[in-house]
Amino acid sequence: MVNPVVLPLEKVRNPRDLGGYVGYQGRKVKMHRLIRSGKISNITSKDEKFLLDYGLTKIIDLRSPHECGKMPDSEIPGVEHLDISIAKDDNTNGGKKDLDKVFATYRKDQYAGFRMMCDRYRSHVVKEHAQNSLHQILEVLANTEDGAVLYHCSEGKDRTGIVTVMILYILGVDMETIRQDYLYSNYMLNDYRANRDRAIKEKGGNLCLRANMRILGSVSDAFLDTSLIAIEKEFGGIDNYLREKIGLTPQLQDALRELYLEDWRK
């Protein structure tokens, strides 16, 4: 596997360029075209300059309307901004509105967060809203002939992770490489989890709560497999899912591969 290309941003978690992975016909994914990351709220002027110099032309915010309203993306001059939520409801803090009740459960059941994450990953592929959003994202990519598209959620690991899985699959990257790219978020978010755990401990959080919060701040083979197994069981595999539920036509697939893969003749 090619090592992920990590971008040197100061105030953006988990920023990576998908370029360099080997896809369809041995053609590599182009650099400076597809960027995955966490939220870009309150970025520094240095980060903004880096992204503009890097070729950024579009930002796709995968977060819910509530999340976008609570912590909107920083506006970057000349960059088109699109809100295409994967889920309608807030996906932070366990995705529940009654946080007191949720955290009470997290304090006594160490597996509550794990089950919630599995439910979330299933919904990200089976719900019609998520499917329609993925189609919209592919259309945006297919209509971006030049420049970089940055797409993100909150920490750049779950919703961003699922979108990345589908994009790389369409581009012909092998599934093990796709999985390793997905799992790399754990390494990228080590400090984030450690800092949050320290804060929770200082506030008197018990071991069960801390265990749940580590799960919520992580990615896992089990989470991704929940999505993939749901796709297999309910839609007959990824190819059929992309064709029948996402609306990936041969024409759209060819367009994406031509735009985002290097020319094999070079």
Side-chain angles (χ1 to χ4, degrees), residues 35-254:
I35 303 171
R36 56 172 296 173
S37 78
K39 61 180 178 288
I40 57 167
S41 307
N42 304 316
I43 63 172
T44 65
S45 57
K46 184 178 178 181
D47 286 348
E48 181 179 302
K49 183 179 186 304
F50 176 86
L51 289 170
L52 289 171
D53 290 345
Y54 205 76
L56 182 65
T57 58
K58 294 179 182 178
I59 293 170
I60 301 174
D61 194 335
L62 307 175
R63 298 176 300 165
S64 68
H66 176 73
E67 291 169 88
C68 295
K70 189 167 60 175
M71 195 168 286
D73 281 347
S74 299
E75 293 186 13
I76 301 178
V79 176
E80 182 180 358
H81 191 281
L82 302 130
D83 291 323
I84 307 178
S85 64
I86 295 297
K88 295 179 182 179
D89 56 334
D90 186 354
N91 266 223
T92 58
N93 292 319
K96 306 290 185 182
K97 294 181 180 179
D98 189 352
L99 292 181
D100 289 338
K101 186 176 180 181
V102 171
F103 278 90
T105 302
Y106 287 167
R107 289 185 187 95
K108 63 184 180 182
D109 179 0
Q110 77 175 88
Y111 300 111
F114 180 84
R115 289 192 295 269
M116 187 282 299
M117 290 293 284
C118 289
D119 288 343
R120 181 187 294 178
Y121 269 76
R122 186 180 184 281
S123 72
H124 287 347
V125 295
V126 303
K127 286 193 174 180
E128 187 176 353
H129 178 85
Q131 294 169 357
N132 290 339
S133 292
L134 182 54
H135 179 81
Q136 290 180 56
I137 292 164
L138 296 181
E139 290 287 354
V140 170
L141 296 182
N143 286 284
T144 307
E145 294 190 4
D146 299 295
V149 179
L150 182 153
Y151 58 95
H152 75 89
C153 53
S154 180
E155 310 304 340
K157 65 184 184 69
D158 301 315
R159 289 164 288 186
T160 298
I162 288 295
V163 170
T164 302
V165 167
M166 297 303 167
I167 291 173
L168 291 179
Y169 184 85
I170 291 167
L171 296 180
V173 177
D174 73 273
M175 279 303 299
E176 186 55 35
T177 297
I178 292 172
R179 183 178 293 272
Q180 293 299 324
D181 176 83
Y182 163 80
L183 291 171
Y184 199 77
S185 286
N186 277 337
Y187 170 77
M188 295 293 293
L189 296 171
N190 273 339
D191 290 342
Y192 160 72
R193 283 193 305 277
N195 291 334
R196 187 164 73 170
D197 181 62
R198 190 177 303 112
I200 293 170
K201 183 180 179 181
E202 289 173 355
K203 292 178 181 178
N206 68 10
L207 290 176
C208 279
L209 174 60
R210 292 167 62 194
N212 276 301
M213 296 310 290
R214 276 191 288 272
I215 284 291
L216 297 183
S218 305
V219 291
S220 166
D221 277 312
F223 302 155
L224 177 56
D225 286 334
T226 296
S227 293
L228 297 178
I229 289 169
I231 288 172
E232 181 68 30
K233 285 185 174 180
E234 300 198 24
F235 310 112
I238 298 181
D239 293 315
N240 197 55
Y241 172 74
L242 288 170
R243 183 174 59 251
E244 300 296 331
K245 293 296 177 179
I246 308 303
L248 180 69
T249 63
Q251 293 78 15
L252 179 54
Q253 177 174 270
D254 289 346

Side-chain angles (χ1 to χ4, degrees), residues 6-21:
V6 178
L7 302 182
L9 299 176
E10 297 175 326
K11 292 290 185 180
V12 181
R13 292 191 185 108
N14 206 2
R16 289 179 269 157
D17 189 321
L18 298 187
Y21 291 133

